[in-house]
Every structure is written in structure tokens, then in C-alpha cells.
Amino acid sequence: QVQLVESGGDLVKPGGSLRLSCAASGFTFSDYYMSWIRQAPGKGLEWVSYISSRGSTKYYADSVKGRFTISRDNAKNSLYLQMNSLRAEDTAVYYCARHYGSGPNWFDPWGQGTLVTVSS
Amino acid sequence: QSVLTQPPSVSGAPGQRVTISCTGSRSSIGAGYDVHWYQQLPGTAPKLLIYGNSNRPSGVPDRFSGSKSGTSASLAISGLQAEDEADYYCQSYDSSLSASVFGGGTKLTVL
């Protein structure tokens, strides 16, 4: 079955860095656009970044532009999010999600999420 | 503050029908971008409920329906059941932000 499993979440100090991973299985990973979406504790969903199927196109939310970098390794069926200069407001559960198609479409499925806590 | 506006909470008794609104702008829903809905049960990841304004993925009961008109969309849940108690989020795209956007979420309580 289609499955996404995130890892890499941790407690990190403000200004620190962290790399999240998302392992995909059950589908042809290289055919799909992918996104990272986050949810701060007790808050709503916020789209963070997306990457095209071959990795040539990347978009970021203004809140993370210049600090976060999305990438993928299609040979390893893996999606990544490199997070630098972390701030307290980056504290959230980070989900990876598969896009339908190449346009601004829906996300399905989602992984179970990985928690990033930014605190001194 | 979310780009798409949803009521923070709605409630209904078992068997009743409730609706959740999602209001956007001329650069999002009003520009013709589709609206999608997700259900998030407590402690779990969001799950796709409605895509392309009114389509249900396989396995989603027909008690759930979606519609879109102008700059707004709605999710309707009929025949409310206890297991429907969850947070519901709408999602679309905003061309002025070049970003996928979500509503702030609506907590459904089944009385």
C-alpha cells in the first residue's frame, strides 16, 4: 500500500539546523510531486514547500524561504527537508504528502508526521 | 491568520446535518482554483475527504459532500455519527502567494 514515513524530528536550539526525511513506498515515487506541510501545536495546517517529480522546480512558503531547502532522491524513494536558522515558530509536526498531478492539487496520502521542537 | 476562513467550531446531534464553510478571495477560490477537504481525527495525520470541490475518494461515505460557488466552498456532513468528531480543513491555491493555502480548521463536535 502507499505509505509515507517521516523521520528526523528532534529538539533543537534556536539558530540550529535539522534535516527531515520522508521514505516513500507502494508507488512510483519519481512520478509524483511532493510537499512538506506543518502543523504547530494546537494550530492549523501550513504548507511549507513543494518539489516537482524530477526535483527541477521547488517552491517555498514565505515564512521559510531562504532558510529551508527541499530535495529528493528518486533512486532512494526519499524526500528531504533541510531546515537551517531554526526559530521557535518553526516548532511543529512536519508531514510529507504526495501531490495529485503536477498542478496546485490535493495532497494524498500524508505521512504520520515528525515533531520538530525549537527551544533553548 | 489563515488565507481561507473557516468557522472555528460547529456542532450537531447524531443523525443531523452540518455544514462547514470555507471563504477565500479573488486570488484563490474566486480565481477558479479547486477546493479540497481533509479530516483530521485526534492525534492522527490529515486524511483526504473531498477533492476537486465535490469528489469523494474511494472509501469515503456519501454522507460527506462538497460544493463550491464564487469565492466560497462548503463541506456538508449528513447523518452525523460519533466517529465524525474531528477537525476539518479546506485547502486551495492562492495565485497572489504562489502557494497552496489552508483554512484555519473547524472542530466538529457531535453532541
Side-chain angles (χ1 to χ4, degrees):
Chain A
Q1 73 282 21
V2 176
Q3 193 172 14
L4 299 170
V5 179
E6 302 93 335
S7 61
D10 205 348
L11 171 63
V12 61
K13 288 181 168 52
S17 297
L18 205 58
R19 188 196 197 205
L20 305 183
S21 299
C22 170
S25 60
F27 65 101
T28 305
F29 180 69
S30 58
D31 284 349
Y32 288 87
Y33 284 44
M34 299 291 295
S35 267
W36 287 98
I37 299 157
R38 68 184 180 182
Q39 185 171 33
K43 302 296 185 182
L45 301 168
E46 179 188 16
W47 170 80
V48 171
S49 178
Y50 109 123
I51 187 168
S52 60
S53 56
R54 296 184 180 183
S56 56
T57 302
K58 303 173 186 180
Y59 283 100
Y60 300 92
D62 287 344
S63 57
V64 306
K65 204 172 293 182
R67 300 187 299 121
F68 290 12
T69 302
I70 192 171
S71 63
R72 65 191 297 161
D73 185 335
N74 287 342
K76 294 183 177 180
N77 291 335
S78 293
L79 175 72
Y80 306 102
L81 186 68
Q82 177 66 42
M83 304 186 294
N84 298 330
S85 303
L86 283 162
R87 306 166 180 167
E89 53 264 36
D90 295 319
T91 294
V93 173
Y94 285 73
Y95 298 100
C96 68
R98 187 181 72 173
H99 277 244
Y100 175 83
S102 59
N105 290 314
W106 57 94
F107 305 107
D108 180 53
W110 300 50
Q112 87 288 349
T114 188
L115 176 62
V116 173
T117 303
V118 183
S119 175
S120 55
Chain B
Q1 188 171 346
S2 302
V3 174
L4 304 179
T5 301
Q6 298 179 233
S9 63
V10 297
S11 62
Q16 285 189 333
R17 179 180 186 269
V18 297
T19 62
I20 299 172
S21 62
C22 174
T23 302
S25 65
R26 285 182 291 182
S27 59
S28 59
I29 300 174
Y33 293 106
D34 286 342
V35 178
H36 321 295
W37 292 89
Y38 302 88
Q39 177 192 58
Q40 186 174 32
L41 296 169
T44 69
K47 169 194 158 188
L48 181 68
L49 195 64
I50 297 287
Y51 67 92
N53 304 316
S54 59
N55 302 290
R56 281 177 287 106
S58 172
V60 173
D62 59 7
R63 302 186 295 103
F64 295 89
S65 62
S67 64
K68 173 191 160 186
S69 178
T71 59
S72 296
S74 289
L75 172 70
I77 310 171
S78 59
L80 266 181
Q81 299 181 4
E83 58 259 37
D84 297 334
E85 195 159 280
D87 293 325
Y88 294 84
Y89 293 90
C90 60
Q91 177 238 323
S92 186
Y93 182 82
D94 191 301
S95 58
S96 68
L97 300 173
S98 295
S100 290
V101 290
F102 289 92
T106 298
K107 181 175 182 58
L108 168 63
T109 300
V110 181
L111 302 171

